[in-house]
Amino acid sequence: MSLNYARYGKDNIRLYKVDKDEKSGIQSVVEMTVCILLEGDIDTSYTAADNSVVVATDTQKQTCYILAKQNPITPPELFASIVGTHFVETYKHIHAAHVKIIQHRWTRMTIDGKPHPHSFFRDGEEIRVVESVTRENQGIFLRSKIEKLLVLKSTGSAFYGFHRDEYTQLPETWDRILSTEVEAGWKWKTFSSLAEVKFVVPKFDEAWNAAREITLKTFATDSSASVQNTMYKMCEQILAAVPLVEAVDYSLPNKHYFEIDLSWHKGLKNTGKDATVFAPQSNPNGLIQCTVTRK
Ligand SMILES: O=c1[nH]c(=O)c2nn[nH]c2[nH]1
């Protein structure tokens, strides 16, 4: 019997940082949830109760707050790289650091038609996510994500021409509701160091904005033949828009809205082109996934 793999750290580190511009009086806020997991020469802490190799998870949490105080925490790709690099460079027996950052939405309020200097609201559960691994002598691996972006279109979606056999009951449709909760990811080229990440910092927000706009515009405007085809079009456009990204992936649940036949009630028409009242389904849901690469 042997220890095959190990990593440990602190999850759900909640972090808030405010920037106060004295001149303008405008304050800006960022809120994140951070997970740090370390790999390295730590086996004896598992196999031999040797705690001398353990950088305590509390130490990891304190380090996260100190680094947040001393460095920018946005874009999250930069902060993840700063945190990961810190652990790999500070402890010679730590050889890799996994840092996941979830950035929550605090959108500035508009009051009387003007952006308010210090008030914000949570406009949806959508999150911006970065999954990073900083690995000694290999570099910094970053994957950025949009998650929990819930969208719906009331038409402009069809699904017909699919395989039919004795197991198929689903009717074809040329006009359906389409709703999904977007999970989109884009994998960056490997960065050789924190310095290389810092050199391209503006690209991270640009990519997130592009991915979000492409997702929403394609979802809205594509006359969708299927979730599969629409998500592939999103991937193509993001790869074209962000040269430093090597792969784009989507995982889209198909959140079904079922027609309700009400004809039993005095012949009430509510199916097909007469359907206006639907039953949103919590489950089961379709789940369509893909990854698109450059070659
Ligand atoms: O867009 C869709 N893709 C599918 O694979 C599927 N299967 N049932 N409905 C579906 N809709």
Side-chain angles (χ1 to χ4, degrees):
M1 187 189 316
S2 66
L3 184 66
N4 178 265
Y5 175 72
R7 64 182 179 184
Y8 79 104
K10 191 71 92 178
D11 192 8
N12 297 308
I13 303 168
R14 295 194 62 190
L15 167 63
Y16 164 99
K17 186 172 185 181
V18 59
D19 173 76
K20 300 179 181 181
D21 182 313
E22 301 302 334
K23 208 152 65 81
S24 66
I26 293 172
Q27 302 194 4
S28 301
V29 300
V30 177
E31 184 163 345
M32 296 174 161
T33 303
V34 181
C35 176
I36 301 168
L37 294 170
L38 305 181
E39 290 178 24
D41 304 329
I42 57 172
D43 293 17
T44 53
S45 65
Y46 294 81
T47 60
D50 168 19
N51 290 340
S52 69
V53 298
V54 177
V55 177
T57 65
D58 186 76
T59 302
Q60 298 179 42
K61 178 191 74 176
Q62 305 297 355
T63 303
C64 181
Y65 288 131
I66 292 163
L67 293 174
K69 180 69 181 177
Q70 296 170 330
N71 298 277
I73 64 170
T74 54
E77 290 85 354
L78 171 61
F79 189 54
S81 302
I82 288 169
V83 174
T85 301
H86 169 86
F87 285 102
V88 167
E89 290 188 346
T90 304
Y91 304 98
K92 63 181 185 319
H93 72 297
I94 297 300
H95 304 314
H98 301 253
V99 179
K100 176 178 178 181
I101 296 179
I102 296 169
Q103 184 172 341
H104 307 281
R105 290 174 71 85
W106 282 126
T107 297
R108 188 179 297 280
M109 290 184 187
T110 299
I111 304 298
D112 297 332
K114 290 186 297 183
H116 194 273
H118 57 257
S119 296
F120 309 88
F121 68 101
R122 177 65 48 86
D123 65 335
E125 287 315 297
E126 177 191 348
I127 50 179
R128 176 174 175 179
V129 178
V130 173
E131 297 169 346
S132 75
V133 184
T134 300
R135 201 169 286 281
E136 199 169 356
N137 303 324
Q138 291 185 34
I140 301 174
F141 304 87
L142 295 173
R143 178 166 170 253
S144 305
K145 300 182 75 184
I146 293 166
E147 294 185 18
K148 299 186 169 65
L149 172 56
L150 183 58
V151 292
L152 178 144
K153 65 191 306 186
S154 54
T155 186
S157 169
F159 188 61
Y160 58 86
F162 49 90
H163 174 80
R164 300 196 77 85
D165 59 25
E166 67 271 29
Y167 298 98
T168 306
Q169 191 263 343
L170 183 72
E172 294 184 306
T173 176
W174 283 261
D175 182 3
R176 69 175 179 178
I177 295 163
L178 182 60
S179 178
T180 189
E181 188 177 280
V182 174
E183 182 178 335
W186 47 102
K187 177 175 170 283
W188 295 87
K189 65 166 289 274
T190 302
F191 294 99
S192 57
S193 66
L194 177 56
E196 195 190 354
V197 170
K198 287 181 176 178
F199 191 66
V200 296
V201 158
K203 300 293 181 193
F204 297 115
D205 281 353
E206 287 171 20
W208 179 80
N209 281 306
R212 193 172 191 274
E213 281 165 27
I214 287 166
T215 299
L216 293 175
K217 182 174 180 182
T218 308
F219 179 82
T221 59
D222 184 42
S223 180
S224 175
S226 65
V227 175
Q228 287 89 332
N229 184 242
T230 299
M231 72 203 303
Y232 183 79
K233 291 175 179 175
M234 294 171 179
C235 291
E236 285 182 314
Q237 292 174 73
I238 295 171
L239 280 174
V242 192
L244 289 178
V245 159
E246 292 179 342
V248 178
D249 58 270
Y250 277 82
S251 177
L252 299 180
N254 194 348
K255 300 169 71 68
H256 304 298
Y257 285 65
F258 285 176
E259 286 189 359
I260 307 169
D261 185 341
L262 299 175
S263 58
W264 55 272
H265 179 79
K266 302 176 185 175
L268 204 49
K269 293 183 186 311
N270 190 55
T271 56
K273 63 178 177 41
D274 298 313
T276 53
V277 175
F278 293 79
Q281 300 297 301
S282 303
N283 51 51
N285 57 268
L287 181 59
I288 319 293
Q289 300 180 329
C290 79
T291 299
V292 177
T293 55
R294 290 193 181 281
K295 41 194 178 294

